[in-house]
Protein backbone atom coordinates (compact mmCIF):
# COMPACT_ATOMS: atom_id res chain seq x y z
CA UNK A 1 0.00 0.00 0.00
CA UNK A 2 1.09 3.54 -0.58
CA UNK A 3 0.14 6.88 0.90
CA UNK A 4 -2.34 7.61 -1.87
CA UNK A 5 -4.28 4.40 -1.37
CA UNK A 6 -4.35 4.98 2.38
CA UNK A 7 -5.76 8.47 2.04
CA UNK A 8 -9.44 8.63 2.87
CA UNK A 9 -11.68 11.53 3.66
CA UNK A 10 -14.11 11.10 6.51
CA UNK A 11 -17.61 12.38 6.01
CA UNK A 12 -19.98 12.85 8.87
CA UNK A 13 -23.39 11.64 7.92
CA UNK A 14 -26.12 12.64 10.25
CA UNK A 15 -29.22 10.49 10.13
CA UNK A 16 -31.98 11.44 12.55
CA UNK A 17 -30.68 12.12 16.05
CA UNK A 18 -27.83 9.57 15.98
CA UNK A 19 -24.75 10.75 14.10
CA UNK A 20 -22.98 8.03 12.11
CA UNK A 21 -19.43 8.26 10.95
CA UNK A 22 -18.79 6.75 7.55
CA UNK A 23 -15.47 6.57 5.75
CA UNK A 24 -15.97 7.14 2.06
CA UNK A 25 -13.21 7.32 -0.51
CA UNK A 26 -12.43 10.78 -1.78
CA UNK A 27 -13.45 10.84 -5.48
CA UNK A 28 -10.16 12.57 -6.37
CA UNK A 29 -8.21 9.81 -4.64
CA UNK A 30 -10.14 7.18 -6.57
CA UNK A 31 -9.24 8.88 -9.85
CA UNK A 32 -5.58 9.11 -8.88
CA UNK A 33 -5.55 5.50 -7.79
CA UNK A 34 -6.80 4.45 -11.23
CA UNK A 35 -4.14 6.60 -12.91
CA UNK A 36 -1.56 5.19 -10.52
CA UNK A 37 -2.61 1.65 -11.39
CA UNK A 38 -2.19 2.40 -15.10
CA UNK A 39 1.24 3.92 -14.49
CA UNK A 40 2.28 0.90 -12.41
CA UNK A 41 1.07 -1.41 -15.18
CA UNK A 42 3.05 0.52 -17.81
CA UNK A 43 6.14 0.47 -15.56
CA UNK A 44 5.81 -3.30 -15.01
CA UNK A 45 5.43 -3.88 -18.76
CA UNK A 46 8.50 -1.76 -19.51
CA UNK A 47 10.40 -3.58 -16.78
CA UNK A 48 9.50 -6.95 -18.27
CA UNK A 49 10.61 -5.80 -21.75
CA UNK A 50 13.89 -4.48 -20.35
CA UNK A 51 14.63 -7.65 -18.42
CA UNK A 52 13.88 -9.81 -21.49
CA UNK A 53 16.15 -7.63 -23.65
CA UNK A 54 18.93 -8.03 -21.08
CA UNK A 55 18.54 -11.80 -21.14
CA UNK A 56 16.94 -12.36 -17.75
CA UNK A 57 14.53 -15.26 -17.36
CA UNK A 58 12.54 -13.62 -14.58
CA UNK A 59 10.71 -10.59 -15.95
CA UNK A 60 9.47 -9.15 -12.67
CA UNK A 61 11.20 -6.02 -11.37
CA UNK A 62 12.57 -6.71 -7.90
CA UNK A 63 11.62 -4.56 -4.93
CA UNK A 64 13.82 -1.48 -4.82
CA UNK A 65 14.58 -1.61 -8.54
CA UNK A 66 12.93 0.27 -11.38
CA UNK A 67 12.58 -0.48 -15.06
CA UNK A 68 15.65 1.69 -15.74
CA UNK A 69 17.78 1.14 -12.61
CA UNK A 70 18.52 -2.45 -11.59
CA UNK A 71 20.70 -3.60 -8.73
CA UNK A 72 22.87 -6.65 -9.28
CA UNK A 73 24.21 -9.02 -6.61
CA UNK A 74 27.85 -9.13 -7.63
CA UNK A 75 30.45 -8.14 -10.17
CA UNK A 76 30.09 -11.60 -11.73
CA UNK A 77 26.36 -11.14 -12.34
CA UNK A 78 26.98 -7.66 -13.76
CA UNK A 79 29.78 -9.03 -15.95
CA UNK A 80 27.43 -11.68 -17.40
CA UNK A 81 25.08 -8.92 -18.61
CA UNK A 82 28.03 -6.90 -19.92
CA UNK A 83 29.30 -9.86 -21.94
CA UNK A 84 25.85 -10.45 -23.40
CA UNK A 85 24.74 -6.92 -24.31
CA UNK A 86 27.78 -4.65 -23.91
CA UNK A 87 27.33 -1.09 -22.74
CA UNK A 88 29.36 1.61 -21.01
CA UNK A 89 31.01 0.78 -17.70
CA UNK A 90 31.74 3.44 -15.07
CA UNK A 91 32.68 3.46 -11.42
CA UNK A 92 32.16 5.86 -8.58
CA UNK A 93 32.88 5.96 -4.88
CA UNK A 94 29.85 5.62 -2.63
CA UNK A 95 29.67 6.22 1.08
CA UNK A 96 27.67 4.06 3.49
CA UNK A 97 27.00 4.73 7.15
CA UNK A 98 26.09 1.88 9.43
CA UNK A 99 25.91 2.14 13.23
CA UNK A 100 28.02 5.28 13.21
CA UNK A 101 30.76 3.80 11.02
CA UNK A 102 31.26 5.17 7.52
CA UNK A 103 32.77 3.07 4.74
CA UNK A 104 33.74 3.94 1.19
CA UNK A 105 32.90 1.42 -1.52
CA UNK A 106 33.29 1.30 -5.28
CA UNK A 107 30.07 1.07 -7.24
CA UNK A 108 30.27 -0.34 -10.77
CA UNK A 109 27.55 0.83 -13.15
CA UNK A 110 26.78 -0.61 -16.57
CA UNK A 111 24.71 1.69 -18.78
CA UNK A 112 22.94 -0.01 -21.67
CA UNK A 113 20.86 1.71 -24.35
CA UNK A 114 17.98 -0.49 -25.44
CA UNK A 115 16.70 1.12 -28.67
CA UNK A 116 13.00 1.85 -28.63
CA UNK A 117 12.77 1.01 -24.91
CA UNK A 118 15.00 2.81 -22.47
CA UNK A 119 18.47 3.57 -21.24
CA UNK A 120 19.09 1.22 -18.33
CA UNK A 121 21.64 1.34 -15.53
CA UNK A 122 22.67 -1.86 -13.78
CA UNK A 123 24.84 -1.45 -10.70
CA UNK A 124 26.64 -3.39 -8.02
CA UNK A 125 29.33 -2.67 -5.49
CA UNK A 126 32.77 -4.16 -5.97
CA UNK A 127 33.33 -6.87 -3.39
CA UNK A 128 37.05 -7.60 -3.22
CA UNK A 129 36.82 -11.06 -1.59
CA UNK A 130 34.91 -12.32 -4.66
CA UNK A 131 37.83 -11.43 -6.90
CA UNK A 132 37.17 -11.04 -10.59
CA UNK A 133 39.91 -8.62 -11.60
CA UNK A 134 40.22 -10.55 -14.88
CA UNK A 135 36.56 -10.10 -15.87
CA UNK A 136 35.88 -8.31 -19.20
CA UNK A 137 33.86 -5.81 -17.17
CA UNK A 138 36.96 -4.92 -15.16
CA UNK A 139 39.06 -4.66 -18.32
CA UNK A 140 36.55 -2.11 -19.65
CA UNK A 141 36.95 -0.08 -16.45
CA UNK A 142 40.75 -0.20 -16.79
CA UNK A 143 40.54 0.94 -20.43
CA UNK A 144 38.26 3.81 -19.42
CA UNK A 145 40.68 4.88 -16.70
CA UNK A 146 43.63 4.71 -19.12
CA UNK A 147 41.89 6.88 -21.73
Amino acid sequence: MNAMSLYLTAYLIVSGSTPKLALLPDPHTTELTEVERELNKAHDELGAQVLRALGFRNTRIADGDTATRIGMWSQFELNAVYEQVGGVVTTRTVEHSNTGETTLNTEITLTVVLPGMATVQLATEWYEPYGGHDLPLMHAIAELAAA
Side-chain angles (χ1 to χ4, degrees):
M1 290 202 145
N2 59 33
M4 191 59 69
S5 62
L6 292 175
Y7 175 73
L8 294 175
T9 304
Y11 294 96
L12 181 61
I13 301 172
V14 179
S15 172
S17 60
T18 308
K20 295 179 183 175
L21 182 62
L23 293 176
L24 301 174
D26 182 341
H28 300 292
T29 303
T30 304
E31 290 173 23
L32 289 176
T33 302
E34 290 171 18
V35 169
E36 188 176 59
R37 259 184 265 149
E38 290 300 316
L39 287 173
N40 287 342
K41 181 180 175 187
H43 177 266
D44 292 346
E45 288 172 2
L46 175 61
Q49 288 176 335
V50 164
L51 291 173
R52 273 192 297 276
L54 294 173
F56 290 96
R57 290 185 181 145
N58 183 3
T59 57
R60 184 183 167 280
I61 295 291
D63 290 341
D65 289 346
T66 68
T68 58
R69 177 96 175 143
I70 301 169
M72 307 297 283
W73 281 103
S74 73
Q75 55 261 30
F76 292 99
E77 186 182 33
L78 186 60
N79 183 71
V81 175
Y82 175 71
E83 287 185 305
Q84 183 174 344
V85 297
V88 177
V89 183
T90 57
T91 63
R92 69 182 182 124
T93 301
V94 293
E95 187 176 293
H96 295 288
S97 295
N98 188 12
T99 62
E101 184 180 328
T102 301
T103 59
L104 295 177
N105 298 320
T106 301
E107 180 184 79
I108 306 167
T109 302
L110 173 61
T111 303
V112 179
V113 177
L114 300 173
M117 267 187 266
T119 298
V120 181
Q121 290 185 327
L122 300 103
T124 192
E125 288 186 9
W126 174 259
Y127 187 63
E128 184 65 38
Y130 283 176
H133 291 279
D134 58 340
L135 294 172
L137 179 76
M138 298 311 293
H139 290 289
I141 293 169
E143 290 171 13
L144 179 67

